[in-house]
Amino acid sequence: MDDEFSFIRSIVPRETYQERLTHGIGDDAAVYTGQDAWDEVVCVDAMVEGVHFRKDTLSPFQIGRKALAINVSDLAAMGAVPQFYLVSIAIPPNWSAEELTSLYEGMRAVGDRYGMDLIGGDTVSIKDSLVLSVTAIGRVKKGCALFRNQAQPGDVVFVTGPVGGSAAGLELLDQRGRFGAFTEQERRYVHMHQEPVPQVEMGKMLAEQPYRVALNDISDGLASESMEIAEASGVQLVLDQQKVLELSPQMDSVLPEKRVKWSLNGGEDFQLVGTMTDSAFSSCCEAAQQQGRHLYKIGFVRAGEPAVLLASETGEQALQMSGYNHFKRR
Amino acid sequence: MDDEFSFIRSIVPRETYQERLTHGIGDDAAVYTGQDAWDEVVCVDAMVEGVHFRKDTLSPFQIGRKALAINVSDLAAMGAVPQFYLVSIAIPPNWSAEELTSLYEGMRAVGDRYGMDLIGGDTVSIKDSLVLSVTAIGRVKKGCALFRNQAQPGDVVFVTGPVGGSAAGLELLDQRGRFGAFTEQERRYVHMHQEPVPQVEMGKMLAEQPYRVALNDISDGLASESMEIAEASGVQLVLDQQKVLELSPQMDSVLPEKRVKWSLNGGEDFQLVGTMTDSAFSSCCEAAQQQGRHLYKIGFVRAGEPAVLLASETGEQALQMSGYNHFKRR
């Protein structure tokens, strides 16, 4: 990258969305007003070239898009609405200004979708791999944030949509690269990997209901995210294998075992998994339908040593957390 | 690093400082209450191994310490009091668990000093260089944040303490490494580079005074930070070379020209530079003295095309921004 001046000018937003932002980019730090009626919600996620993405599976635009979407999904899992983001980026010499501009446009596309303002960042150089670390800030009505530790025996386990599509897409991309030939069906899953959609509206709806809800986003696979709920709540989650299969990638040529594995261990679907009582689930299904969305029941919660089990006709099987990334915690 | 479990357990705080923190580490995001009476202030800074630090000039503890101190200094320059931080870290294979624990202890030392809680982060792997990106969050009384764009002709230019010591220390470390032999005088500057102290109390005091104050922290050298004030305010800052020399590293063996250069172009002193009226300056000097601290007048502001000039007996010289890091903006 040669012309830092025009690059930095190009990433500074010309307009902002959030009224409570009093000072964005341009000083030592950003400033926005606090509000008694709201809780602040903040998270950070890092993506490393060669570890979390490669230029041959994601375009620069899609890399930027995903870096912000990961964080938006974390906010959604708290029931929070995203408002601001900050971008810390370490740029190696082999990234061009055009690619970087495209990467920031990817973030801006997500920001524009949710009314988020870019309010700060740090742009530094690095020798080898690009590192993109995004901090996202949102808010939720005071006391309404949703946590993982709220599951109770008897609860329904639900998800907000299909899971495993991103993993299926990644496998296709690993085989053929992002410029490879895909069938229409395959293209759908490639797209799910490249441009997953965080469930902000569903998180917000669940936070605004008067019910006890445990909630987590599916960034590391259904199995490990369910396990986080089980551990935080001190319960067991029993998932129905047939229901999981129904929500797994519908690829005719792929064995059911593999499809279930994608759902359980694949990551980055950005759907939400949670638990609540049966009657709360019925009410929330209606509220979701009013948004043209759906909640899918995939299992139940019971007392016991924290575990996630997969139930089928042949019995129950405790899930090994092979998709569980021990190296990553928020 | 082999045992991620015990490492992650070791970095999760057992106690927290901030009452308004309702949920720290352990869910998808952290949650803290908003407050009508306060503005939120947030910033992020990244440090890359081999670019911003090396293991032979800073210990892992000092690297962690500095990574958080950089951000605390940015908050101080807004007049904000730090409260929370999040750590995004990309770890290469050649960093041991002991070194990483030490790095987090360095951050914790700064956090403990200012009552900041570690409330989130992301820990990922990378092939080559360690990348440490820290987000810091603080607060300032509503409407009291201090900005760069408030300088006016006739103002005094001031700093909160000696500048250039960190650059002098870095040069010594570059020559001899951190286990090298140093005189007592040299050791003082090595220490200034390794463990610079952000000026939180001074920033807070300046924000609480009823005066118009322009403020910036000196992370990239006095010249470039003064230039940021000049550009943001549309004024010229004229610095007195003799005053700058008096605040520069007092190393007998070094020529005055070099000492001034350290002050103007060296970075990471974490002192503050600002401007205010002469009468406001007198009042703030008294307030500083009540804290056992000092403000140092080093120049004045005048109308004109944005510039920073160095004034000596032989006349004025417009400063070239050789210490100005165009690749970095907040």
Side-chain angles (χ1 to χ4, degrees):
Chain A
M1 206 187 42
D2 298 322
D3 188 355
E4 311 93 347
F5 277 118
S6 68
F7 170 63
I8 287 173
R9 268 197 306 270
S10 76
I11 62 175
V12 175
R14 278 165 213 87
E15 294 170 10
T16 58
Y17 289 102
Q18 298 296 333
E19 277 183 25
R20 71 173 178 134
L21 179 66
T22 54
H23 285 84
I25 289 177
D27 219 296
D28 293 294
V31 182
Y32 48 95
T33 57
Q35 303 156 310
D36 284 345
W38 298 84
D39 286 331
E40 307 282 342
V41 185
V42 61
C43 60
V44 65
D45 256 288
M47 281 173 56
V48 178
E49 186 174 7
V51 177
H52 301 88
F53 66 86
R54 301 194 313 268
K55 281 190 192 176
D56 58 347
T57 57
L58 295 179
S59 70
F61 182 91
Q62 289 166 337
I63 293 164
R65 200 192 165 292
K66 185 169 275 194
L68 184 50
I70 288 173
N71 282 284
V72 169
S73 183
D74 280 326
L75 296 181
M78 307 300 288
V81 171
Q83 297 195 305
F84 305 118
Y85 65 107
L86 300 92
V87 178
S88 167
I89 185 168
I91 305 173
N94 66 336
W95 277 68
S96 70
E98 290 70 29
E99 288 173 320
L100 291 167
T101 299
S102 183
L103 184 147
Y104 273 83
E105 280 169 359
M107 288 191 278
R108 188 179 301 182
V110 175
D112 287 344
R113 165 73 182 75
Y114 297 105
M116 300 177 80
D117 296 317
L118 173 63
I119 61 171
D122 196 4
T123 308
V124 298
S125 61
I126 192 170
K127 219 171 68 181
D128 306 289
S129 319
L130 186 134
V131 180
L132 183 54
S133 180
V134 177
T135 304
I137 299 169
R139 66 177 191 182
V140 62
K141 279 181 190 160
K142 198 184 202 71
C144 290
L146 301 175
F147 301 99
R148 297 172 183 164
N149 64 359
Q150 294 296 305
Q152 290 185 12
D155 277 1
V156 166
V157 178
F158 68 89
V159 291
T160 53
V163 284
S166 177
L170 178 59
E171 188 165 315
L172 291 164
L173 284 162
D174 276 340
Q175 289 163 2
R176 299 175 216 167
R178 71 185 169 99
F179 300 109
F182 300 104
T183 66
E184 197 173 322
Q185 191 183 57
E186 289 171 338
R187 172 64 62 194
R188 204 176 129 216
Y189 296 106
V190 166
H191 187 74
M192 280 188 191
H193 177 74
Q194 291 179 326
E195 307 201 4
V197 179
Q199 299 296 306
V200 172
E201 293 80 3
M202 291 294 261
K204 181 169 182 284
M205 181 275 285
L206 292 167
E208 288 174 352
Q209 301 294 321
Y211 309 114
R212 170 183 56 75
V213 178
L215 199 63
N216 208 358
D217 81 315
I218 306 178
S219 50
D220 290 336
L222 183 57
S224 70
E225 306 293 350
S226 298
M227 189 62 189
E228 288 184 341
I229 293 177
E231 285 179 341
S233 303
V235 296
Q236 296 190 341
L237 271 64
V238 184
L239 309 183
D240 181 327
Q241 180 171 296
Q242 183 55 34
K243 296 271 169 57
V244 172
L245 183 62
E246 285 164 18
L247 290 170
S248 73
Q250 304 301 305
M251 289 169 66
D252 314 328
S253 54
V254 178
L255 292 175
E257 290 74 17
K258 182 160 193 180
R259 291 165 49 202
V260 168
K261 198 178 166 198
W262 275 333
S263 299
L264 294 175
N265 298 328
E268 300 191 352
D269 283 306
F270 298 164
Q271 295 293 342
L272 303 173
V273 57
T275 85
M276 61 178 105
T277 65
D278 210 22
S279 64
F281 181 73
S282 298
S283 299
C284 289
C285 282
E286 282 176 29
Q289 266 168 350
Q290 285 169 17
Q291 292 186 9
R293 298 168 200 274
H294 298 277
L295 293 177
Y296 303 86
K297 180 176 171 176
I298 58 163
F300 65 95
V301 179
R302 72 181 174 202
E305 281 297 297
V308 179
L309 300 108
L310 193 64
S312 66
E313 290 170 357
T314 58
E316 285 182 3
Q317 173 200 353
L319 290 180
Q320 302 304 311
M321 297 297 129
S322 64
Y324 196 59
N325 184 352
H326 295 305
F327 208 23
K328 180 176 174 179
R329 281 284 172 86
R330 279 167 299 275
Chain B
M1 204 185 49
D2 298 321
D3 188 354
E4 310 94 346
F5 277 118
S6 67
F7 171 63
I8 287 173
R9 267 197 307 268
S10 77
I11 62 175
V12 175
R14 278 164 212 89
E15 294 170 8
T16 58
Y17 290 102
Q18 298 297 332
E19 276 184 25
R20 71 174 180 134
L21 179 65
T22 55
H23 285 83
I25 289 177
D27 219 295
D28 294 292
V31 182
Y32 48 96
T33 57
Q35 303 155 309
D36 284 345
W38 297 83
D39 286 332
E40 307 282 341
V41 186
V42 61
C43 61
V44 65
D45 256 290
M47 281 174 55
V48 178
E49 187 174 6
V51 178
H52 300 89
F53 66 86
R54 302 194 313 269
K55 281 191 194 176
D56 57 347
T57 58
L58 295 179
S59 71
F61 182 91
Q62 289 166 338
I63 293 165
R65 202 192 163 292
K66 186 169 274 196
L68 183 51
I70 289 173
N71 282 284
V72 169
S73 183
D74 281 326
L75 296 181
M78 307 300 289
V81 171
Q83 296 195 306
F84 306 119
Y85 65 107
L86 300 93
V87 178
S88 167
I89 186 168
I91 305 172
N94 66 336
W95 276 68
S96 70
E98 290 69 29
E99 288 173 321
L100 291 167
T101 299
S102 183
L103 184 147
Y104 273 82
E105 279 168 0
M107 289 190 278
R108 188 179 302 181
V110 175
D112 286 344
R113 165 74 180 77
Y114 298 106
M116 300 177 79
D117 296 317
L118 173 64
I119 61 170
D122 197 5
T123 307
V124 298
S125 61
I126 192 169
K127 219 171 68 182
D128 306 289
S129 320
L130 186 133
V131 180
L132 184 55
S133 180
V134 177
T135 304
I137 299 170
R139 66 178 191 181
V140 62
K141 279 182 190 159
K142 197 183 202 73
C144 290
L146 301 176
F147 301 99
R148 297 173 183 164
N149 64 359
Q150 294 296 305
Q152 290 185 11
D155 277 2
V156 166
V157 178
F158 67 89
V159 291
T160 53
V163 284
S166 177
L170 178 59
E171 190 165 314
L172 291 164
L173 284 162
D174 275 340
Q175 289 163 1
R176 300 176 217 167
R178 69 183 169 100
F179 300 109
F182 301 103
T183 66
E184 198 174 319
Q185 191 183 56
E186 289 170 339
R187 172 63 61 194
R188 203 175 130 217
Y189 296 106
V190 166
H191 188 73
M192 280 190 191
H193 176 75
Q194 292 179 325
E195 307 202 2
V197 179
Q199 298 297 307
V200 172
E201 292 80 4
M202 291 294 261
K204 181 170 183 283
M205 181 275 285
L206 292 167
E208 286 174 353
Q209 301 294 320
Y211 309 114
R212 171 184 55 77
V213 178
L215 200 62
N216 208 358
D217 80 316
I218 306 178
S219 49
D220 290 336
L222 183 57
S224 71
E225 306 294 350
S226 298
M227 189 62 191
E228 288 184 343
I229 293 176
E231 285 180 340
S233 303
V235 295
Q236 296 189 341
L237 271 63
V238 184
L239 309 183
D240 182 328
Q241 181 172 294
Q242 184 56 35
K243 297 271 170 56
V244 172
L245 184 62
E246 285 164 18
L247 290 169
S248 72
Q250 303 301 307
M251 288 168 66
D252 315 329
S253 55
V254 179
L255 291 175
E257 291 72 19
K258 182 160 192 179
R259 291 166 49 203
V260 168
K261 199 178 165 197
W262 274 333
S263 299
L264 294 174
N265 299 328
E268 301 191 351
D269 284 304
F270 297 165
Q271 296 293 343
L272 303 173
V273 56
T275 86
M276 61 178 106
T277 65
D278 209 24
S279 64
F281 180 72
S282 299
S283 299
C284 288
C285 282
E286 283 175 30
Q289 266 168 351
Q290 286 169 18
Q291 292 186 11
R293 298 167 200 273
H294 297 278
L295 293 177
Y296 304 85
K297 180 176 171 176
I298 58 164
F300 65 96
V301 179
R302 71 181 175 205
E305 283 296 298
V308 179
L309 300 107
L310 194 64
S312 66
E313 289 170 358
T314 58
E316 285 181 4
Q317 173 200 353
L319 290 180
Q320 303 303 312
M321 297 297 128
S322 65
Y324 196 62
N325 184 354
H326 295 305
F327 208 23
K328 180 173 174 183
R329 282 284 173 84
R330 279 167 299 276

